[in-house]
Amino acid sequence: MSEALQELIEIAGRHARGRRIRTAIPRVSIGRSEVATAPLPGVWGSGVLFVLQGAKTVLIGDRALRYDPASYFIYTVETPSISQIVEASAARPYLAIGLTLDLQAVAALLVEHGPVLGGDRFSTSPVDVDLLDALRRMLRLLDRPAEIPVLAAMLEREMLFRLLQGPQGGKLRELARADGHLSRIGQAIARIRSHPHQPVRVGDLAEIAHMSSAAFYRHFKAATAMSPIQYQKQIRLLEARHLLIAQPGNVARVAFAVGYESASQFSREYARQFGSPPARDAARLLAGGETAIEVL
């Protein structure tokens, strides 16, 4: 293990509180778990996840990711996923750093710097020496909070530069372009997220994205590893799960609230997604004090 990675693990371990904590550094979070977890559904926004210790698998549509120590992945659009920590213990807890993307900062860098490399949209990448060092210097600020207002933005800029030069830099560049495919797919996703109960019409979404229906479908699937209808289904089921936990009660009422016309269809799809029928799943989560939120 490199000295830089060891120091990162020590800093993250000291500052981690529970499963997930937002740090004093803008846009930076820490995740920690001393146990392996069951599959946990969630939605990732635009950001980067760095796994420092332990291992995690993530299922996005029909694509599977595996994070081993010192690896990362850039999430470009709000993406429903199912995550599972597969290696963690009290002696060697799972530790991860999350960085929410500041797209304006990325766009500013693109004005100053040339082309970046491409890469597979759905694969994790090893953290190289330069990126690891920038991340280490960023996390050191947690032990020097007075320096955060002065140095955090500079170090974040360096990290974004390193990410742009790395194997996932191509999709980061595409995301930051206002006229890029990912940016326009993001506008369509925002529509789905804000109106999950309404039927999905690919033609309407394509119009929002200023694409033909065929091009929209192709780019949507490339960005999310699922079709627009599959995407909406996962968003509806996640919202339903939160409703059932926050306000236990009538399953049919929740089904109709998230856009299902049939309570029986809702129950079947819910059980397929979460492993138990709605009422039983919500009761289990409430009884065990669990949440529907994944570890970072």
Side-chain angles (χ1 to χ4, degrees):
M1 182 185 302
S2 73
E3 178 184 343
L5 180 57
Q6 181 59 46
E7 183 179 348
L8 272 167
I9 290 170
E10 291 172 359
I11 296 172
R14 286 199 305 273
H15 290 275
R17 299 288 183 275
R19 286 186 167 186
R20 180 187 299 182
I21 181 174
R22 292 182 179 178
T23 72
I25 303 171
R27 290 175 289 281
V28 175
S29 303
I30 299 176
R32 174 190 172 99
S33 180
E34 295 187 353
V35 297
T37 66
L40 294 170
V43 179
W44 271 93
S46 299
V48 190
L49 177 64
F50 301 90
V51 169
L52 307 178
Q53 182 170 268
K56 179 179 187 177
T57 60
V58 179
L59 182 64
I60 302 173
D62 58 1
R63 301 296 297 271
L65 302 174
R66 180 182 171 92
Y67 292 89
D68 289 311
S71 65
Y72 73 97
F73 181 77
I74 297 177
Y75 293 83
T76 54
V77 294
E78 290 186 302
T79 310
S81 64
I82 299 176
S83 303
Q84 183 173 15
I85 295 173
V86 293
E87 291 181 16
S89 67
R92 292 180 59 81
Y94 167 86
L95 289 167
I97 305 297
L99 173 66
T100 301
L101 290 173
D102 181 346
L103 295 184
Q104 289 185 334
V106 177
L109 279 169
L110 289 176
V111 172
E112 303 171 20
H113 298 280
V116 293
L117 302 175
D120 185 352
R121 191 177 297 276
F122 285 103
S123 65
T124 58
S125 302
V127 181
D128 65 27
V129 173
D130 293 329
L131 180 56
L132 192 66
D133 182 58
L135 183 58
R136 171 174 61 169
R137 284 181 281 118
M138 171 77 87
L139 242 63
R140 281 175 177 171
L141 296 179
L142 293 176
D143 294 326
R144 306 167 185 171
E147 298 179 4
I148 291 175
V150 179
L151 298 179
M154 297 167 55
L155 292 170
E156 181 181 6
R157 178 178 168 85
E158 179 182 350
M159 286 182 59
L160 293 174
F161 173 78
R162 302 297 180 191
L163 290 166
L164 278 167
Q165 302 308 308
Q168 298 190 37
K171 59 182 180 177
L172 184 55
R173 176 183 58 179
E174 176 69 21
L175 178 63
R177 289 177 49 201
D179 62 342
H181 292 141
L182 283 174
S183 178
R184 288 185 279 161
I185 291 298
Q187 294 172 24
I189 283 175
R191 172 69 180 183
I192 297 174
R193 294 295 310 276
S194 62
H195 300 82
H197 57 285
Q198 295 182 357
V200 165
R201 296 183 177 88
V202 172
D204 293 342
L205 296 174
E207 185 174 344
I208 291 171
H210 303 290
M211 299 179 187
S212 69
S213 294
F216 172 79
Y217 189 93
R218 184 174 68 254
H219 287 297
F220 191 99
K221 185 72 181 288
T224 65
M226 61 192 83
S227 71
I229 291 175
Q230 291 170 325
Y231 184 99
Q232 184 192 53
K233 181 188 295 186
Q234 292 205 24
I235 292 299
R236 283 179 168 179
L237 292 173
L238 284 167
E239 182 179 349
R241 199 182 205 205
H242 286 292
L243 288 173
L244 287 165
I245 293 170
Q247 303 173 2
N250 190 297
V251 171
R253 175 180 55 81
V254 170
F256 299 139
V258 299
Y260 278 85
E261 297 180 356
S262 165
S264 59
Q265 180 187 1
F266 166 72
S267 294
R268 287 195 302 272
E269 293 186 355
Y270 189 103
R272 191 178 303 123
Q273 179 76 2
F274 300 121
S276 300
R280 188 187 307 167
D281 179 59
R284 176 183 62 82
L285 291 169
L286 289 167
E290 299 180 53
T291 71
I293 302 299
E294 63 173 332
V295 182
L296 182 68

